[in-house]
Amino acid sequence: MDTVTKYPTVEKSQAHARNMLAKIRKAHRRGRTRNADHFTRTYLNSFDARIVAGQDAADSLEKLKKPRPPMKVIREFADKMDPWKGTDEAVKLFMKRKNGDENDFRPIMSFGMENRMLQHLALVVLKERSELQLNQFVNNGGVTAAVMAVVSGLKAKYNFVAELDIEKCFTSFDGAKLPGLLPLPKGVTMRVIASAHLNLVPGNSLAELGPCDWSEPEELENNSFMKPGAAVWRGIPQGSSSSPFVTEMLLSPVLSQLPDKGIVVNYADNMLVMGRDVNDMEALLLVLRFALEHHPAGPLKPSWIKRYEPHETVEFLGYDIHRNEAEYRITPSRHNQLKFAGKFKKRRGRIFASEDSAKAKRDEILGLAKYVRTWIGSFSLWKEAQDSRQFYLKKVASIAKELEIVVDIKGI
């Protein structure tokens, strides 16, 4: 007679996980590292903690408009999951050209459910055992809070501003040195947090990137992007649920040692330095660059530094912060607005040029309207967002009218 495994309810798993995290948090705050390590291992080995990680991972997939796995699949993964061994689940690697530069690419990785569960399992422990600075924002209000911190700094007369970009930050960390810098077991750090053991497979064709085609096995084998030891295998992966927070954890000791000459706003690998005069800003930049280059998991080197004069528009995290004596106005960056307008124009042209059926065109029009709402909705600090939304939705409605297609744009 077959036995049926009786699993705890999700609510019971969540309650048990909260209790375990409370023990980790209490031990960490009291400086009892050995106790915190013990409770960390207990949490990572817990079936209930893995169920909670599965729920978090499923939520992250839904945000990406991907199907949510059923509870049966989450339980199956939780049963076999071992964060010390990781998973051989395939990770799709997409090489994204940076700002149109045909010779510079950003590796973006797309993770499946097993990897995401492992990342979320480790991430909640890291959050309980982190020592972040007040001006680090991945887990402290996100992009909105980071941009508003910049505005607050400007209002407080920190008018000399510089943005520092860390060259290929995620892959610049030395993965072999991470275990000594993160409060996780070494095996978990190497198999879940670092990139070295990921089972990478091509996610996009090199027809977009160069002379090779990743559909050809022999070309894939010889391609420099995928060779063991290439940059994509180093450091921490871009696209992992844990990497932005891990980056801030690794940068926190650097920020804590800076002189009190201004403000540094940090969101993941994005850093903005602010000073009340140019000498303070430059002194802060100098110390910051030295500390980054001597990071224990580095060196981390700036690829560029962009300086802003007082009253000059500051671009940060996709926003432009326009400043004058009377007010600070926040809008999507000029680059983002031009990119949006270009995509809108391209999709509009494709609809008119299409020889598809009226139904297919209707779907394209609805998709364009959804794109408008989604893009504008992602800029919550933009006061003129409503006016811009109405302007572009009227344009979408005029497309439907000109093609004599009936659509309910307001219902989207």
Side-chain angles (χ1 to χ4, degrees):
M1 181 177 178
D2 294 336
T3 59
V4 178
T5 302
K6 187 175 181 180
Y7 292 103
T9 65
V10 172
E11 290 75 17
K12 285 186 177 181
S13 292
Q14 291 171 334
H16 185 206
R18 284 194 298 270
N19 288 335
M20 288 187 288
L21 289 174
K23 290 181 180 180
I24 295 173
R25 180 166 58 252
K26 184 177 180 180
H28 173 72
R29 289 179 178 177
R30 292 184 174 183
R32 296 175 179 173
T33 303
R34 291 182 64 180
N35 286 353
D37 288 344
H38 169 72
F39 293 137
T40 292
R41 290 190 293 270
T42 301
Y43 187 87
L44 295 171
N45 274 313
S46 166
F47 177 83
D48 287 329
R50 295 169 185 181
I51 288 295
V52 172
Q55 295 295 312
D56 292 340
D59 291 343
S60 72
L61 285 174
E62 281 193 322
K63 289 179 181 178
L64 297 172
K65 310 301 181 185
K66 295 183 178 181
R68 185 184 185 91
M71 196 63 212
K72 179 182 177 182
V73 171
I74 293 175
R75 288 192 179 110
E76 288 175 355
F77 287 166
D79 269 330
K80 67 178 183 179
M81 183 187 295
D82 185 343
W84 280 263
K85 294 182 179 179
T87 174
D88 60 359
E89 179 186 52
V91 178
K92 290 185 178 180
L93 172 65
F94 294 85
M95 302 303 294
K96 183 179 180 181
R97 188 171 278 114
K98 296 176 70 173
N99 297 326
D101 186 342
E102 63 182 23
N103 297 313
D104 194 9
F105 300 93
R106 176 184 289 110
I108 307 291
M109 299 178 193
S110 178
F111 293 92
M113 189 61 182
E114 290 186 48
N115 273 295
R116 286 177 180 274
M117 285 179 67
L118 288 166
Q119 291 160 11
H120 282 281
L121 182 70
L123 179 59
V124 292
V125 173
L126 291 176
K127 288 180 178 179
E128 296 296 346
R129 301 190 65 179
S130 63
E131 297 290 345
L132 299 182
Q133 307 307 305
L134 291 176
N135 275 352
Q136 293 186 284
F137 291 100
V138 161
N139 196 48
N140 185 27
V143 169
T144 298
V147 173
M148 291 309 299
V150 176
V151 173
S152 295
L154 294 173
K155 288 180 177 179
K157 306 302 180 184
Y158 290 90
N159 287 320
F160 291 86
V161 180
E163 182 180 7
L164 182 148
D165 180 78
I166 301 173
E167 183 177 4
K168 298 177 180 176
C169 180
F170 284 20
T171 55
S172 291
F173 290 116
D174 186 339
K177 296 177 181 177
L178 294 181
L181 300 172
L182 296 174
L184 291 172
K186 179 179 178 179
V188 177
T189 299
M190 296 305 298
R191 294 287 177 172
V192 178
I193 303 299
S195 299
H197 296 284
L198 295 176
N199 179 21
L200 296 179
V201 299
N204 57 344
S205 170
L206 275 185
E208 304 170 28
L209 309 173
C212 301
D213 183 352
W214 277 6
S215 64
E216 300 288 339
E218 61 274 17
E219 297 289 358
L220 169 59
E221 183 179 348
N222 296 321
N223 189 272
S224 60
F225 287 128
M226 296 291 288
K227 285 184 177 179
V232 294
W233 303 89
R234 301 175 197 152
I236 58 178
Q238 188 137 357
S240 166
S241 301
S242 60
S243 288
F245 189 81
V246 168
T247 299
E248 286 196 0
M249 286 190 71
L250 295 172
L251 292 176
S252 178
V254 170
L255 299 180
S256 69
Q257 298 173 29
L258 295 178
D260 186 18
K261 288 183 174 292
I263 299 170
V264 178
V265 177
N266 173 219
Y267 180 86
D269 58 338
N270 302 279
M271 308 187 82
L272 203 74
V273 178
M274 310 177 72
R276 283 190 166 140
D277 62 53
V278 67
N279 292 328
D280 282 350
M281 184 199 73
E282 292 295 346
L284 199 52
L285 265 178
L286 184 65
V287 176
L288 178 59
R289 290 180 64 178
F290 180 86
L292 289 172
E293 289 174 7
H294 291 83
H295 193 283
L300 306 176
K301 299 179 179 179
S303 58
W304 50 261
I305 297 174
K306 184 175 182 179
R307 293 170 172 82
Y308 297 93
E309 296 294 329
H311 308 303
E312 192 175 1
T313 296
V314 175
E315 181 180 353
F316 190 55
L317 298 178
Y319 282 99
D320 277 345
I321 304 170
H322 309 268
R323 46 183 172 158
N324 55 45
E325 294 296 338
E327 64 174 351
Y328 295 88
R329 190 167 63 91
I330 305 171
T331 67
S333 68
R334 183 172 181 273
H335 170 75
N336 273 330
Q337 292 198 51
L338 289 173
K339 187 176 179 181
F340 168 75
K343 283 189 175 182
F344 184 93
K345 182 178 179 181
K346 184 176 180 180
R347 291 180 68 164
R348 179 184 183 278
R350 192 165 63 225
I351 291 170
F352 278 109
S354 173
E355 296 181 1
D356 290 341
S357 65
K359 182 181 181 305
K361 287 187 176 182
R362 178 181 177 276
D363 291 341
E364 285 283 340
I365 292 170
L366 290 172
L368 182 55
K370 187 174 182 180
Y371 170 61
V372 168
R373 290 185 181 276
T374 302
W375 186 84
I376 293 176
S378 66
F379 294 94
S380 60
L381 295 173
W382 187 18
K383 288 185 178 179
E384 296 88 358
Q386 181 63 28
D387 293 338
S388 183
R389 183 186 297 111
Q390 290 178 355
F391 173 79
Y392 275 101
L393 289 179
K394 284 181 179 178
K395 282 193 169 189
V396 176
S398 70
I399 297 172
K401 184 176 180 181
E402 192 170 340
L403 293 173
E404 298 181 342
I405 296 174
V406 178
V407 295
D408 180 16
I409 293 173
K410 291 183 179 180
I412 297 175

